[in-house]
Amino acid sequence: MELIRDVIDFIATGLGGLAATLAPYAFIGLVGLYLLWVVIGYLRVSQVGVRAEATTLPALQLPRAPDGAIDVPRGVPYCPNDGLRYPAGARFCTQCEADLLASCANCGATIRAADDSCYRCGTHATLAAAPNAVSPR
């Protein structure tokens, strides 16, 4: 019975003082982690914003067939909703924010432009190679 009384007394006095000592440090640590998260998030967003503006290429309107369907060449990312053609590496439409689709450059299956490989033929070269820039003469 004496052992139980000693354990209860230790918990009441010893751990209470320990909790009162550590609680402010835990609060300061959590606030510090939150501030670090905010700063890293701001830096990441600001860097992505600068890089996105520097490398954004315009989306081009795709031609439509007489029946109204979008005429899309193989291996080119496009938005099925807006009929816009995007450069290789684009994953989302800038107008409606939908996932971009592409026809596999190898077999022609319709896949998401963000996919690493084609589900039908398994090729990793799902997008057509970008044409080389014409050098000035």
Side-chain angles (χ1 to χ4, degrees):
M1 203 61 173
E2 189 68 29
L3 178 65
I4 295 173
R5 187 173 294 130
D6 289 339
V7 169
I8 292 173
D9 186 42
F10 173 74
I11 291 173
T13 58
L15 291 182
L18 181 65
T21 303
L22 292 180
Y25 293 113
F27 179 73
I28 290 170
L30 290 175
V31 168
L33 286 174
Y34 175 74
L35 290 176
L36 181 66
W37 178 71
V38 167
V39 168
I40 289 174
Y42 170 76
L43 292 175
R44 180 174 178 202
V45 169
S46 66
Q47 293 299 316
V48 168
V50 168
R51 192 174 347 141
E53 290 175 354
T55 61
T56 301
L57 296 175
L60 305 173
Q61 188 69 35
L62 284 169
R64 294 200 178 258
D67 63 349
I70 301 171
D71 187 24
V72 182
R74 281 189 181 185
V76 175
Y78 70 96
C79 177
N81 300 331
D82 301 327
L84 297 174
R85 173 184 177 167
Y86 286 88
R91 294 177 178 225
F92 301 100
C93 177
T94 57
Q95 302 296 319
C96 66
E97 297 180 2
D99 286 338
L100 296 180
L101 300 179
S103 296
C104 176
N106 188 34
C107 69
T110 302
I111 58 173
R112 291 184 324 132
D115 289 346
D116 292 331
S117 63
C118 177
Y119 67 88
R120 187 187 298 168
C121 65
T123 184
H124 291 290
T126 55
L127 299 179
N132 295 335
V134 178
S135 59
R137 294 182 193 212

